[in-house]
Structure formats: structure tokens, C-alpha cells
């Protein structure tokens, strides 16, 4: 069984700089096993996750089970340089940096190629001609099988595609019930509230029209609607998700993901929890289409926004 979900590996490594140990490996193995049990075969990385340790621990799992590589797809991202004592955090998509980062990714993962390479954030200082040439070269060499972007607008994708031979096939964005600007903007056109929407208008529609897969990072919202409320109104959403889960004989996590997947743009959620039980709770969202009615879908949206639609 293949899944309509992607497992996000940001939580597998260590951000504290401590050396990876047996407990870290066991936790990673348990999370990866739970994802596979849920039918998930696509794994999302970035070279900065755990300062590279997420890829390293994943590579250790692959080393222990080398037959796994043929069963899964691995994508990773580059382009963010974290702050150091000598440098602020910045974005770096210069050709040499992309190439060096990709080879570092491959070394940590212990694999010869990536199924997909995504540019993590736009770098306004590097010309798209240089970025596109780097992506084209890595693709032609077979180092990356496909290329895409993350956190980019339709205009930025268009500018980059003009200088990139392989088609850009992914745009990964923060999308979900907690980050709704991508959705709110579609109905707030010609209203004063539209000025408060920061999401680049038309990006969702552009990606759908161009066949660019929209991947939603942060889709589970760190559990705020399924057990860890953070803001006023979260409890009301959690209650509704629980009620709908009982109606449809599933889990609140599945209802939350169904709500996102039901949008006609074909959004693919990225789930990042390392808790095997929560990963298992998402299984049905990866295996079956949403059973939410039109009315139920809007009820979830209205409850989350806390106000009637215009």
C-alpha cells in the first residue's frame, strides 16, 4: 500500500549539538518503522535538520537495513545557512554551495542519489540563471532525479523554471488548519481583510495548473488541534475534530489531514511527529480519500477562523 502522506524527518536528529547515541537511533528506527507500517514511503529531509544529524541518523537506519532504500523515496532540501558566531542566518543558493550541500546530504544519508532535491528558501542575491544551471547539472548527472522548491511564490517558480531544464515538480509550503492564508486569500479578494493575507495570491492555483505538487509542511500543527492546544479557540476545533472522528470512525488526526487533502489542489501533507502512535493515527488519511461532507469541511474551517466567512 502506498500512502498519500510524506514523513518529515526534522525531529529524528539532535538540535543540541550532542553526539548521536543508541537512544537516538532507536527513536529514529521506531518512527521510520511506524511510517512504513502506515504505508508511508516518502521521507522528507533538509540539510539543516538537527544540523545534519537527522540525515545522519537516517543513514544509520539505512545502513542497518540496506534493502529499505529500494522501497522508499528520499527528498532533501538545501539553501538555508544557519547562524554562526561569525555569520547571520542567510540563504545561499550559489551554484557551488548547492553542489557542496547536495554531496554532503548524500554522504550523510549513505546513498548515491536523491529522488528529489528542493530549494529550501529563495535566495534573492543569487541569479536564477546560476541556480537553474546548478539544478540542471545535478539532474543531468543523475545525482538528483527530480527538482523542486519550498516556500516560493508562483512568480519565483516561473523565474527559476525559465533557467532550469528539468521541470520543477514540487512546492513545499506551510499549509494547514493553523496556517490558512493560502485558503483565506482565495475568498477574501475584494474585501478589506485581503490586505492582511500575506500568502502570495494565485500560488496555489498556479501550482495546480502547472502540475506542481503542493506539499504541506506543519500539517499536524504540532498537535494543537489534537491534544496540545496553544491558542484560544483550539479547544473548539479539537472538539469538532473529535466529533467528526466518531462520525466517520477514524482519528482526529485523520480528520485534520482529510480537511487539507480534500482541497482540489491535491495537497500532500508532511507529518513530522516522532511518536509512533500519532503516526499510526494518520494512517487512514494516507490510505483513503476524505469522507468529510461539504458542510463538515466548511464547519471545520469556520470553527478554526472563529468568524463567519464574508
Amino acid at each position: 500500500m502506498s500512502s498519500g502522506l510524506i514523513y518529515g524527518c526534522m525531529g529524528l536528529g539532535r538540535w543540541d549539538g550532542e553526539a548521536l547515541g543508541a537512544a537516538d537511533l532507536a527513536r529514529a528506527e521506531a518512527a521510520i518503522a511506524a511510517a512504513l507500517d502506515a504505508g508511508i514511503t516518502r521521507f522528507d529531509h533538509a540539510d539543516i535538520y538537527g544540523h545534519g544529524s537527522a540525515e545522519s541518523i537516517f543513514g544509520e537506519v539505512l545502513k542497518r537495513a540496506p534493502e529499505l532504500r529500494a522501497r522508499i523515496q528520499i527528498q532533501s532540501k538545501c539553501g538555508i545557512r544557519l547562524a554562526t558566531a561569525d555569520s547571520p542566518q542567510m540563504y545561499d543558493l550559489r551554484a557551488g554551495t548547492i553542489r557542496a550541500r547536495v554531496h554532503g546530504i548524500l554522504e550523510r544519508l549513505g546513498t548515491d542519489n536523491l529522488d528529489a532535491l528542493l530549494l529550501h528558501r529563495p535566495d534573492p542575491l543569487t541569479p536564477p540563471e546560476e541556480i537553474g544551471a546548478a539544478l540542471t547539472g545535478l539532474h543531468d548527472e543523475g545525482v538528483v532525479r527530480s527538482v523542486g522548491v519550498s516556500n516560493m511564490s508562483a512568480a519565483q517558480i516561473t523565474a527559476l523554471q525559465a533557467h532550469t531544464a528539468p521541470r520543477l515538480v514540487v512546492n513545499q509550503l506551510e499549509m494547514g488548519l493553523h496556517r490558512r492564508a493560502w485558503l483565506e486569500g482565495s475568498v477574501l479578494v475584494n474585501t478589506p481583510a485581503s490586505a492582511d493575507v500575506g500568502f502570495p495570491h494565485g500560488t496555489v492555483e498556479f501550482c495546480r495548473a502547472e502540475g506542481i505538487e503542493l506539499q504541506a509542511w506543519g500539517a499536524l500543527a504540532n498537535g494543537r488541534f489534537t491534544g496540545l492546544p496553544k491558542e484560544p479557540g483550539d479547544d473548539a476545533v479539537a472538539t469538532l475534530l473529535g466529533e467528526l472522528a466518531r462520525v466517520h470512525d477514524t482519528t482526529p488526526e485523520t480528520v485534520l489531514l482529510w480537511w487539507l487533502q480534500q482541497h482540489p489542489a491535491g495537497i500532500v501533507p508532511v507529518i513530522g511527529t516522532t511518536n509512533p502512535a500519532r503516526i499510526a493515527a494518520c494512517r487512514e488519511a494516507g490510505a483513503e480519500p476524505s469522507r468529510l461532507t461539504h458542510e463538515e469541511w466548511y464547519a471545520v474551517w469556520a470553527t478554526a477562523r472563529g468568524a463567519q466567512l464574508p
Side-chain angles (χ1 to χ4, degrees), residues 54-122:
E55 291 170 337
S56 295
I57 202 74
F58 198 93
E60 286 298 315
V61 174
L62 289 178
K63 189 181 297 183
R64 288 187 168 207
E67 73 283 355
L68 182 59
R69 180 64 182 96
R71 295 174 48 200
I72 64 175
Q73 292 182 300
I74 301 175
Q75 66 180 34
S76 193
K77 301 181 288 292
C78 71
I80 297 177
R81 285 175 52 186
L82 297 175
T84 67
D86 302 317
S87 173
Q89 181 159 308
M90 65 178 69
Y91 308 136
D92 188 349
L93 293 178
R94 290 174 292 180
T97 303
I98 292 175
R99 183 169 289 275
R101 289 299 184 97
V102 168
H103 285 288
I105 290 167
L106 295 177
E107 182 176 355
R108 287 188 293 274
L109 289 170
T111 187
D112 294 331
N113 57 68
L114 291 174
D115 295 289
L117 172 68
L118 277 56
L119 305 180
H120 209 160
R121 291 276 180 183

